[in-house]
Amino acid sequence: MTPALETVGLQKRFGGLIATNDVSFRLERGARHALIGPNGAGKTTFINLLTGVLAPTAGRIRLEGEDVTGLRPEARVRRGLARTFQINQLFRDLTPLESIGLAVSERLGGGWDWWRIAGSKGAIVDETAAIADRFRLTDVLDARTGTLPYGKQRLLEIALAFACRPRVLLLDEPAAGVPEAERHELLAAIAALPREVSVLLIEHDMDLVFSFADRISVMVDGALFTEGTVDEVANDPRVRAVYLGEGTDA
Ligand SMILES: Nc1ncnc2c1ncn2[C@@H]1O[C@H](COP(=O)(O)OP(=O)(O)O)[C@@H](O)[C@H]1O
Ligand SMILES: [Mg+2]
């Protein structure tokens, strides 16, 4: 079957540095796939190439079999590729109700004028409530985002990506910086993502990687070092050597 997302010979150079080195990668449909690797390995650069924030030096990107290499980020989102949204600067003064409602409205073509889309207001309100419930945000819907506990802010980032109705969801370190007491709720929401959404998770937290993923790819120096099931990668002495040699920044 055509993979949800695929790269062929993907490369990104920053001057003399090859940050992404000939990466051919498949994200299968319905996948729970983690991408791990030491700090500076090129994981975020890879995500930025997938989403269109960066243009590759060489190689192709296909979403459900269609070449999206030249598409702008918004066009990729419309085709079903979403990443967690960085709310930290943008939405601090909005409430989760407002920002989720806005994201749902954007998807329906209404933008900031969501209350003007004739007949769809009820649908937007209903979907907003359902997304808030899924991501444990119902109890804080009317609070200013900037005042929320950090775990709730990270949940809102995933909720906003989810509001785009993605078929492929890219999560770049969703648990980073979340205090221990708030992690359970976040991990449970990620575990409960619907199976029809294919997920690529970048994460340093190995508890999250091992509990969530069924496949793991390891990136080192911009290239795919190895890939396999969770057991295969966890028991691979070469992977341990990479981590012991360079240390994780978890
Ligand atoms: N915009 C950029 N310009 C130059 N070098 C960059 C840029 N972005 C990332 N890099 C370099 O590319 C390498 C990979 O970085 P990054 O993708 O952030 O790694 P990771 O997310 O795995 O920690 C690093 O050596 C980093 O310094
Ligand atoms: Mg990174």
Side-chain angles (χ1 to χ4, degrees):
M1 189 154 71
T2 320
L5 186 67
E6 183 180 29
T7 70
V8 182
L10 203 64
Q11 189 190 75
K12 180 65 184 177
R13 286 176 179 272
F14 293 114
L17 176 82
I18 303 181
T20 307
N21 190 1
D22 195 24
V23 172
S24 295
F25 172 82
R26 284 170 70 101
L27 181 73
E28 301 297 345
R29 297 201 187 207
R32 295 290 179 263
H33 198 135
L35 178 64
I36 66 172
N39 211 18
K43 303 178 299 294
T44 297
T45 301
F46 182 62
I47 294 280
N48 285 334
L49 293 171
L50 294 177
T51 56
V53 171
L54 291 172
T57 313
R60 311 307 301 176
I61 302 164
R62 293 192 202 109
L63 182 62
E64 296 183 336
E66 292 202 25
D67 196 305
V68 298
T69 316
L71 292 185
R72 297 177 57 79
E74 313 82 74
R76 296 184 201 203
V77 173
R78 279 197 297 275
R79 288 186 184 215
L81 177 65
R83 74 179 290 173
T84 46
F85 207 93
Q86 296 299 312
I87 56 170
N88 290 342
Q89 310 98 26
L90 274 175
F91 291 121
R92 290 189 69 80
D93 290 330
L94 296 186
T95 66
L97 175 68
E98 289 165 335
S99 31
I100 298 170
L102 180 61
V104 172
S105 167
E106 270 292 330
R107 199 193 74 234
L108 297 172
W112 289 92
D113 288 340
W114 63 279
W115 55 88
R116 291 200 192 131
I117 313 176
S120 61
K121 187 175 167 188
I124 293 172
V125 170
D126 288 351
E127 187 174 337
T128 299
I131 292 173
D133 185 46
R134 168 179 281 283
F135 292 100
R136 279 79 167 167
L137 293 164
T138 305
D139 54 335
V140 295
L141 262 182
D142 295 317
R144 235 168 41 82
T145 296
T147 68
L148 296 180
Y150 196 58
K152 294 283 189 192
Q153 297 194 22
R154 303 304 315 248
L155 280 163
L156 179 57
E157 289 182 6
I158 305 171
L160 293 177
F162 190 80
C164 302
R165 291 244 175 112
R167 289 194 294 280
V168 174
L169 181 60
L170 309 174
L171 302 174
D172 193 354
E173 299 196 35
V178 176
E180 193 57 41
E182 297 176 52
R183 297 178 77 79
H184 175 73
E185 195 176 51
L186 182 71
L187 269 51
I190 292 173
L193 285 165
R195 202 69 199 195
E196 63 265 23
V197 181
S198 313
V199 182
L200 178 61
L201 167 77
I202 293 183
E203 186 54 62
H204 282 297
D205 180 328
M206 287 302 156
D207 290 340
L208 174 51
V209 168
F210 289 140
S211 68
F212 175 79
D214 42 37
R215 265 192 108 64
I216 299 179
S217 291
V218 184
M219 186 172 270
V220 179
D221 291 337
L224 286 182
F225 179 72
T226 189
E227 184 189 316
T229 64
V230 172
D231 283 347
E232 285 165 354
V233 171
N235 294 317
D236 186 335
R238 298 173 310 142
V239 173
R240 289 206 197 137
V242 165
Y243 274 95
L244 290 174
E246 309 199 27
T248 69
D249 55 3

